[in-house]
Amino acid sequence: MTDLLETSSPSLNGASAILFDLDGVLTPTATVHEQAWQELFEGYLSSHPGVARYSESDYFDHIDGKPRFDGVRDFLASRGIVLNEGPVDDDPANTTVQGLGNRKNRIFNDIVSAGVEPFEGSVRFLEAALARGLKVAVVSSSRNAPAVLKAAGLSAHFPVVVDGVVAAAEGLPGKPSPATYDYAAQLLDLPTEECIVVEDAVSGVQAGHSGQFHSVIGVDRGAGRQTLLNAGATLVVKDLDELL
């Protein structure tokens, strides 16, 4: 196996840390999110005759990689629908932005409770990075990141997790803003220029590209290689073990 830091890829050489997105990069929970969003909006739109049904492309076009409530707003906006916000802890049964977001979260947690298997190639890449002394962090728009990491058996590897809860507490805008990645670098006590961003979502790649980061590795789990390159990825792989 080629040493991680001796690879010829300029996107890896000289880095001190790797900042991982979670869903779709470390764990296959992006597909669980897709399933939960589909269930949410198919149910919601069933009472809106004449409005275009939910389709697979809606996830990538309006939701993927964004904070949960932004995903609700942006999808509804694509259908010309505006709802009251509601309180952050709104009942999932209520038809508000927060209520729908919390309903989606309940659906997601019901699915994840059965357990999560991380991507084997991503685990190998993570272990190689740790063996070389690189610092690591998880930067996720999800408010469920700690629970997913625990379910996947990866919690012990990540003392720094910047998720949707942390972002809200710190007043950080979500992806495609680089703010959450900037904050993770700060917590690792490193300049952003020494941190690699690893993302599978267009909004996440845009976040890495718009910041002052070492490089941005795109993982193509369905968004498309050229789409991720156009968003600003330094390189794109199908699986992270291609870099070992």
Side-chain angles (χ1 to χ4, degrees):
M1 180 184 296
T2 303
D3 188 296
L4 178 68
L5 295 187
E6 292 178 357
T7 177
S8 60
S9 171
S11 62
L12 294 175
N13 294 337
S16 299
I18 302 179
L19 311 179
F20 293 89
D21 178 46
L22 178 59
D23 301 314
V25 170
L26 292 172
T27 61
T29 38
T31 59
V32 180
H33 281 289
E34 288 184 62
Q35 181 181 343
W37 283 112
Q38 180 178 355
E39 183 174 333
L40 171 72
F41 285 126
E42 283 184 346
Y44 172 75
L45 292 176
S46 66
S47 61
H48 290 70
V51 176
R53 301 296 88 186
Y54 183 87
S55 67
E56 182 178 345
S57 64
D58 283 316
Y59 179 74
F60 294 105
D61 291 343
H62 307 298
I63 299 169
D64 189 23
K66 297 177 183 178
R68 187 194 319 156
F69 302 118
D70 288 348
V72 172
R73 292 186 200 95
D74 290 352
F75 172 79
L76 293 177
S78 76
R79 300 306 196 267
I81 298 172
V82 178
L83 295 178
N84 291 331
E85 283 292 310
V88 174
D89 61 349
D90 206 354
D91 191 306
N94 291 338
T95 306
T96 62
V97 169
Q98 307 290 334
L100 289 177
N102 293 334
R103 192 183 310 172
K104 179 265 173 183
N105 190 52
R106 184 176 62 187
I107 296 168
F108 175 85
N109 282 322
D110 286 346
I111 300 170
V112 166
S113 62
V116 176
E117 281 292 328
F119 289 112
E120 183 178 345
S122 296
V123 172
R124 292 176 61 221
F125 180 83
L126 169 63
E127 290 173 345
L130 293 171
R132 286 295 304 177
L134 273 73
K135 295 182 178 181
V136 297
V138 162
V139 180
S140 173
S141 297
S142 173
R143 291 171 176 254
N144 301 304
V148 172
L149 286 169
K150 182 179 180 180
L154 297 175
S155 296
H157 296 306
F158 293 102
V160 171
V161 176
V162 179
D163 67 351
V165 174
V166 172
E170 297 295 328
L172 303 174
K175 304 169 187 177
S177 166
T180 50
Y181 278 112
D182 288 339
Y183 189 60
Q186 179 183 331
L187 293 178
L188 292 175
D189 197 26
L190 288 172
T192 57
E193 291 84 357
E194 294 182 20
C195 299
I196 297 169
V197 169
V198 185
E199 271 282 357
D200 71 310
V202 170
S203 59
V205 169
Q206 290 171 334
H209 179 68
S210 63
Q212 301 298 313
F213 295 97
H214 178 283
S215 53
V216 183
I217 298 173
V219 184
D220 181 12
R221 307 287 193 196
R225 178 179 182 276
Q226 193 57 52
T227 298
L228 294 176
L229 288 172
N230 291 345
T234 310
L235 84 164
V236 176
V237 296
K238 285 287 188 182
D239 196 282
L240 286 173
D241 65 2
E242 293 175 30
L243 300 171
L244 298 178

